[in-house]
């Protein structure tokens, strides 16, 4: 199964909002609300920032929000800050009871 | 302290096998699945498989099925990932992660284990 589709890179200026898309199929994103997002800084393990499409774990900034429409999930980062510069990955449950990641998006703060 | 601690870096020759361990502490080991994820240098995250730590059921990705075995030792609160017939394409950082109450919610990660495959 191919990876979920994410844009390779997204950039924005401090204070702006950016949105990262994550497109799957009816076998994963389109059929389940088990979509999560991870932030990964260089040399570090990924960190969960959104789960179940739009839920934020305790301690995660409310500048991060998630949504889904059809087979495309989205992560929005509001009030972009320098510390948000990182790689972001989406993940979904699939109809085969496997999990699948997106190809990752590099966020650059200009 | 709730954490996953993985075994140290490995260097293997092509054709060999590697076994990475993941020790859980601070929570009930058998209440959560353990997932295994790898990341080749400069590449994206790749899901490899999971283990139901309570019953021992497993599921693997099509890409590594046949070469990977995930096991656990409930008495030691440890999970293991063994990958066989290594090639240079298996050079990667391998992570274990706890799957939370919802599917695909990887809420706790190990520190990662670098595996280098080189002759």
């Amino acid at each position: 199964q191919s990876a979920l589709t994410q844009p390779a890179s997204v950039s924005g200026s401090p204070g702006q909002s950016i949105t990262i898309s994550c497109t799957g199929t009816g076998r994963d994103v389109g059929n389940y609300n088990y979509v999560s997002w991870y932030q990964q800084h260089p040399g570090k393990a990924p960190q969960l920032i959104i789960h179940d499409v739009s839920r934020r774990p305790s301690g995660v900034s409310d500048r991060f929000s998630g949504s889904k429409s059809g087979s495309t999930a989205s992560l929005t980062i509001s009030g972009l800050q320098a510390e948000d510069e990182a790689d972001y990955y989406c993940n979904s449950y699939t109809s085969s009871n496997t999990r699948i990641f997106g190809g990752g998006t590099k966020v650059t703060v200009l | 302290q709730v954490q996953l601690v993985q075994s140290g870096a490995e260097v293997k020759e092509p054709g060999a096998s590697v076994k990475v361990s993941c020790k859980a502490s601070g929570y009930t080991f058998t209440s959560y699945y353990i997932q295994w994820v790898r990341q080749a240098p400069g590449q994206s995250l790749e899901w490899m498989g999971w283990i139901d730590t309570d019953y021992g059921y497993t599921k693997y990705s099509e890409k590594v099925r046949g070469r990977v075995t995930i096991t656990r030792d409930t008495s030691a609160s440890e999970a293991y990932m063994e990958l066989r017939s290594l090639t240079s394409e298996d050079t990667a950082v391998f992570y274990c992660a706890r799957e939370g109450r919802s599917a695909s919610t990887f809420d706790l990660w190990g520190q990662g284990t670098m595996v280098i495959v080189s002759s």
Side-chain angles (χ1 to χ4, degrees):
Chain A
Q1 186 172 5
S2 299
L4 304 175
T5 301
Q6 296 182 232
S9 62
V10 173
S11 62
S13 299
Q16 286 187 329
S17 293
I18 62 170
T19 297
I20 303 168
S21 60
C22 169
T23 301
T25 68
R27 297 186 299 275
D28 38 66
V29 176
N31 204 30
Y32 303 97
N33 287 326
Y34 296 130
V35 177
S36 54
W37 290 89
Y38 302 85
Q39 177 191 63
Q40 186 182 34
H41 287 109
K44 300 293 187 182
Q47 178 187 353
L48 176 70
I49 55 174
I50 293 288
H51 65 93
D52 297 321
V53 173
S54 60
R55 299 185 66 179
R56 255 188 330 274
S58 173
V60 173
S61 171
D62 59 5
R63 297 186 299 103
F64 294 95
S65 61
S67 62
K68 191 184 86 166
S69 177
S71 295
T72 298
S74 298
L75 172 72
T76 297
I77 309 175
S78 306
L80 199 61
Q81 299 180 1
E83 67 205 49
D84 300 331
E85 189 160 291
D87 293 326
Y88 292 82
Y89 295 91
C90 60
N91 181 278
S92 176
Y93 174 86
T94 81
S95 58
S96 303
N97 197 8
T98 60
R99 316 292 185 261
I100 185 170
F101 281 99
T105 298
K106 182 177 181 59
V107 168
T108 301
V109 181
L110 300 172
Chain B
Q1 184 179 0
V2 178
Q3 61 181 354
L4 297 172
V5 178
Q6 299 182 221
S7 49
E10 304 257 16
V11 178
K12 296 291 184 181
E13 292 193 348
S17 300
V18 68
K19 190 170 186 177
V20 179
S21 67
C22 171
K23 185 170 180 61
S25 60
Y27 72 92
T28 302
F29 178 68
T30 52
S31 293
Y32 300 84
Y33 284 20
I34 289 290
Q35 305 276 346
W36 286 89
V37 176
R38 69 177 175 179
Q39 186 171 37
Q43 303 300 308
S44 59
L45 300 174
E46 178 190 357
W47 177 79
M48 298 181 69
W50 57 252
I51 185 164
D52 177 335
T53 52
D54 195 11
Y55 293 99
Y57 302 141
T58 56
K59 191 84 172 182
Y60 304 120
S61 74
E62 291 180 6
K63 187 171 181 181
V64 295
R65 191 176 303 147
R67 290 200 301 133
V68 68
T69 302
I70 299 174
T71 57
R72 94 288 189 222
D73 179 345
T74 56
S75 66
S77 296
E78 235 170 339
Y80 310 91
M81 186 285 303
E82 181 180 34
L83 188 60
R84 301 176 291 278
S85 302
L86 293 169
T87 72
S88 58
E89 294 188 354
D90 294 314
T91 293
V93 176
F94 290 77
Y95 293 102
C96 63
R98 184 182 77 171
E99 186 172 68
R101 300 299 186 188
S102 288
S104 284
T105 299
F106 300 175
D107 64 355
L108 181 67
W109 292 72
Q111 82 276 21
T113 297
M114 182 74 215
V115 175
I116 296 172
V117 183
S118 174
S119 55

